[in-house]
């Protein structure tokens, strides 16, 4: 039996369709030429984007004569400021990914798509590309006029220069990415003389083409159609999330400024319908129609609106960071009283604690001890009891080491097979078989605690050690 929706639910659906009807979703049929206006949020945006300088300059930072951060995949070693992380320690990577995932969620819940607006590589690279475009082609009206103009020598020169610069930035992006894994100076040495491997050239080419296409041609289309975050961020927001918002009660009804009109005579709201908030939007949406999928919360519309309000002598903040609760006149719940903030903070703290513990507990060598189980022990012809052990020494340092093995226990023991230091190769596990003998008369139980110790010395004289607890087994008394 079919049921007819109630009148109230039908009205709610109509309201939803009416709101969506005003959304601006560019399907790629036009090129958005956003206007660039200076202001507070533009400065913050450039400052946040400057974090990506680490991506370009980081591979050239040195530490103790080596590249400070190097993800050496062929040798399965990851060097972080003198600390070498091997695949065995990659549990820390899981915690790091968890940390950033939760950080992204909590920031989105509190202040919307801050990552998209200020830090996302797509946003930053597109902003740089469009800045170059404006330097060469002029203001948005001039760019639109040039796009429609017939191809001549001037247009060809400008377009070729622009696309050459875009490709250069794309190449530097790919080259810098590979430098984190290959080594910056070896890459400069090998790349241009043809000695780098095929993977290096393919990676640089892929990043060059990808950056050129995504930031130069697709631009906001990536945010609309390719980025999964734009699709899921809606479920992370709530009534208390602070996002760029248009104050409808103050701004409506819109109307142009009339000459010599006093505030008492004015019958319109503060919005003068100048459309500057739309002109500066990199995705081409109209923030006055409410929050939309295309809004990346870059806050450039705030700068545009404040500039206009200053010119017409009206208060700033017609478009401002605010929550939906605030706009509807509801009480705003303090951030510290929100349950999800405490849950997110606890997860962040646990993940960060685990990462710091892992980094602080990393040692240059790691020792593992495997006790022979079949047989658990043997009795020698002289009556003594012998256990067999397989030692595995992992050399996490950046140089080959000679490791001395010793053993200690509360009872007298004899270590056999460890008279000479064990040569170990950096980044590799070296096995070693040793035997421990105990006089039967010295055994005071079936199981006696035993500690193995590995000791090595660096070229500079620094001594490092690693210990591992094990046990010695004997017959029942």
């Amino acid at each position: 039996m079919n049921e007819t929706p109630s009148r109230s639910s039908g009205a709610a659906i109509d309201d939803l369709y009416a709101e969506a009807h005003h959304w601006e979703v560019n399907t790629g049929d036009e090129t958005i030429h956003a206007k660039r206006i200076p202001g507070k949020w533009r400065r913050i945006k450039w400052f946040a984007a400057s974090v990506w300088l680490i991506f370009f300059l980081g591979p050239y930072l040195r530490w103790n004569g080596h590249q400070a951060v190097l993800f050496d995949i062929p040798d399965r070693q990851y060097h972080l400021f003198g600390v070498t992380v091997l695949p065995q320690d990659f549990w820390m990577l899981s915690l790091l990914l968890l940390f950033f995932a939760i950080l992204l969620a909590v920031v989105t819940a509190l202040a919307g798509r801050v990552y998209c607006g200020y830090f996302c590589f797509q946003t930053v690279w597109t902003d740089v590309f469009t800045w170059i475009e404006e330097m060469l082609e002029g203001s948005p009206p001039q760019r639109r006029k040039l796009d429609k103009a017939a191809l001549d020598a001037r247009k060809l020169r400008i377009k070729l220069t622009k696309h050459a610069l875009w490709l250069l930035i794309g190449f530097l992006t790919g080259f810098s990415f590979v430098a984190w894994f290959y080594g910056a100076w070896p890459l400069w040495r090998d790349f241009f003389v043809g000695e780098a491997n095929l993977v290096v050239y393919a990676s640089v080419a892929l990043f060059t083409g990808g950056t050129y296409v995504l930031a130069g041609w697709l631009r906001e289309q990536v945010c609309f159609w390719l980025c999964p975050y734009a699709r899921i961020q809606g479920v992370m927001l709530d009534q208390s999330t602070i996002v760029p918002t248009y104050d409808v009660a103050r701004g409506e009804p819109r109307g142009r400024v009339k000459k010599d009109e006093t505030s008492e005579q004015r019958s319109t709201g503060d919005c003068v319908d100048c459309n500057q908030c739309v002109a500066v939007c990199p995705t081409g949406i109209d923030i006055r129609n409410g929050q939309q999928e295309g809004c990346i919360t870059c806050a450039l519309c705030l700068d545009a609106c404040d500039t206009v309000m200053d010119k017409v002598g009206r208060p700033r903040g017609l478009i401002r960071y605010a929550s939906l609760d605030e706009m509807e006149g509801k009480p705003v719940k303090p951030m510290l009283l929100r349950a999800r903030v405490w849950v997110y903070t606890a997860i962040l703290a646990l993940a960060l604690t685990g990462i710091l513990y892992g980094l602080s507990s990393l040692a240059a060598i790691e020792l593992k001890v495997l006790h022979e189980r079949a047989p658990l022990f043997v009795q020698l012809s002289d009556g003594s009891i012998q256990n067999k052990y397989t030692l595995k020494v992992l050399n996490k340092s950046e140089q080959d080491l000679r490791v001395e093995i010793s053993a200690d226990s509360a009872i007298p023991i004899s270590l056999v097979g460890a008279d000479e230091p064990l040569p170990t190769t950096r980044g590799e596990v070296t096995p070693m078989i040793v035997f421990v003998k105990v006089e039967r008369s010295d055994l005071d139980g079936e199981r006696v605690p035993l500690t193995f110790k590995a000791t090595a010395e660096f070229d500079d004289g620094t001594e490092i050690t690693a210990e591992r607890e094990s046990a010695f087994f004997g017959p029942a008394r």
Side-chain angles (χ1 to χ4, degrees):
M1 180 176 177
N2 294 331
E3 296 184 0
T4 304
S6 65
R7 190 181 187 89
S8 59
S9 63
I13 293 174
D14 290 341
D15 291 341
L16 182 61
Y17 278 119
E19 180 183 354
H21 177 70
H22 293 289
W23 285 12
E24 285 75 28
V25 179
N26 181 14
T27 57
D29 53 345
E30 64 172 315
T31 300
I32 294 177
H33 292 292
K35 186 177 181 180
R36 305 179 77 88
I37 293 180
K40 168 187 172 183
W41 295 103
R42 165 55 72 181
R43 291 192 297 272
I44 293 175
K45 186 176 176 67
W46 277 122
F47 179 77
S50 64
V51 171
W52 282 99
L53 290 175
I54 298 174
F55 172 78
F56 290 99
L57 303 179
Y60 303 97
L61 183 63
R62 313 298 289 175
W63 187 271
N64 292 332
H66 302 281
Q67 185 166 317
V69 180
L70 177 63
F71 305 103
D72 190 353
I73 292 180
D75 291 334
R76 294 172 298 173
Q77 295 184 355
Y78 311 96
H79 307 288
L80 305 171
F81 295 94
V83 176
T84 300
V85 181
L86 297 182
Q88 291 87 342
D89 303 309
F90 247 47
W91 58 270
M92 288 185 289
L93 177 62
S94 301
L95 291 179
L96 185 64
L97 294 176
L98 173 64
F99 176 83
F100 282 112
I102 297 300
L103 181 63
L104 184 64
V106 69
V107 170
T108 303
L110 297 178
R113 295 166 63 179
V114 173
Y115 173 75
C116 291
Y118 298 93
F119 298 99
C120 175
F121 52 87
Q122 172 66 20
T123 301
V124 173
W125 265 248
T126 299
D127 204 25
V128 172
F129 275 33
T130 52
W131 174 75
I132 292 174
E133 191 172 56
E134 183 170 277
M135 293 298 102
L136 294 173
E137 299 181 359
S139 63
Q142 291 173 320
R143 298 204 293 273
R144 295 188 188 97
K145 183 178 179 181
L146 183 64
D147 287 343
K148 296 177 181 179
L151 184 63
D152 56 14
R154 175 180 174 273
K155 180 176 180 178
L156 183 62
R157 174 179 55 81
I158 293 175
K159 292 293 185 180
L160 285 178
T161 303
K162 179 182 75 172
H163 288 283
L165 291 174
W166 284 1
L167 285 170
L168 176 61
I169 294 175
F171 172 78
L172 292 176
T173 301
F175 195 86
S176 299
F177 176 81
V178 173
W180 289 94
F181 299 88
Y182 195 92
W185 300 122
L187 183 61
W188 280 101
R189 181 192 63 214
D190 298 342
F191 187 89
F192 295 102
V193 296
E195 293 184 359
N197 58 57
L198 182 60
V199 175
V200 170
Y201 291 108
S203 299
V204 173
L206 181 64
F207 269 83
T208 301
T211 304
Y212 173 74
V213 173
L214 295 178
W217 289 94
L218 294 181
R219 300 185 183 180
E220 79 288 338
Q221 297 298 300
V222 176
C223 304
F224 276 120
W225 311 113
L226 299 182
C227 179
Y229 182 49
R231 302 292 180 180
I232 66 175
Q233 59 93 20
V235 301
M236 300 182 184
L237 308 181
D238 58 21
Q239 293 281 109
S240 60
T241 303
I242 300 175
V243 291
T245 309
Y246 171 65
D247 192 338
V248 177
R250 176 185 156 188
E252 301 296 323
R254 306 170 197 173
R256 298 287 183 178
V257 177
K258 297 180 181 178
K259 187 177 182 180
D260 299 329
E261 182 184 44
T262 64
S263 58
E264 292 78 11
Q265 297 172 327
R266 183 155 54 93
S267 59
T268 60
D270 280 348
C271 180
V272 297
D273 206 18
C274 61
N275 281 329
Q276 290 302 296
C277 55
V278 181
V280 301
C281 181
T283 59
I285 71 164
D286 190 339
I287 192 65
R288 296 172 296 180
N289 292 330
Q291 266 295 308
Q292 303 167 47
E293 178 193 342
C295 179
I296 59 174
T297 68
C298 62
L300 296 179
C301 54
L302 275 67
D303 281 339
C305 188
D306 286 345
T307 299
V308 174
M309 291 296 102
D310 290 343
K311 290 180 179 178
V312 299
R314 297 176 185 177
R316 290 187 167 198
L318 178 59
I319 302 176
R320 63 183 184 273
Y321 267 104
S323 66
L324 191 57
D325 281 344
E326 179 184 339
M327 287 299 174
E328 294 178 352
K330 299 177 182 178
V332 179
K333 183 182 291 186
M335 182 173 60
L336 294 180
L337 295 182
R338 303 178 198 173
R340 79 161 86 180
V341 173
W342 287 101
V343 173
Y344 286 150
T345 302
I347 298 175
L348 286 174
L350 288 174
L352 187 60
T353 300
I355 294 170
L356 294 177
Y357 168 77
L359 290 175
S360 63
S361 61
L362 287 177
I365 57 174
E366 183 177 300
L367 176 64
K368 290 186 177 181
V369 179
L370 302 177
H371 191 286
E372 181 70 33
R373 294 293 177 180
L376 194 61
F377 65 88
V378 296
Q379 182 170 337
L380 303 180
S381 58
D382 61 359
S384 62
I385 307 300
Q386 179 176 277
N387 286 196
K388 180 181 178 182
Y389 302 85
T390 299
L391 309 184
K392 293 186 177 182
V393 180
L394 172 59
N395 183 353
K396 296 182 178 181
S397 70
E398 298 181 10
Q399 65 183 62
D400 297 342
L401 297 173
R402 293 177 62 81
V403 180
E404 295 183 357
I405 302 297
S406 60
D408 185 44
S409 181
I411 62 174
I413 62 173
S414 176
L415 182 63
V416 180
D419 299 329
E420 296 294 329
L422 175 67
T424 63
T425 304
R426 61 188 182 95
E428 294 186 4
V429 176
T430 305
M432 180 183 192
I433 296 178
V434 297
F435 300 89
V436 174
K437 293 188 345 181
V438 176
E439 296 296 331
R440 185 161 187 171
S441 60
D442 292 328
L443 285 174
D444 54 5
E446 297 181 31
R447 183 181 186 278
V448 178
L450 183 67
T451 301
F452 285 93
K453 184 177 181 181
T455 305
E457 188 175 292
F458 286 123
D459 293 338
D460 60 3
T462 303
E463 188 176 87
I464 52 174
T465 60
E467 295 184 354
R468 176 68 66 169
E469 299 289 336
S470 186
F472 184 91
F473 296 89
R477 296 184 64 84

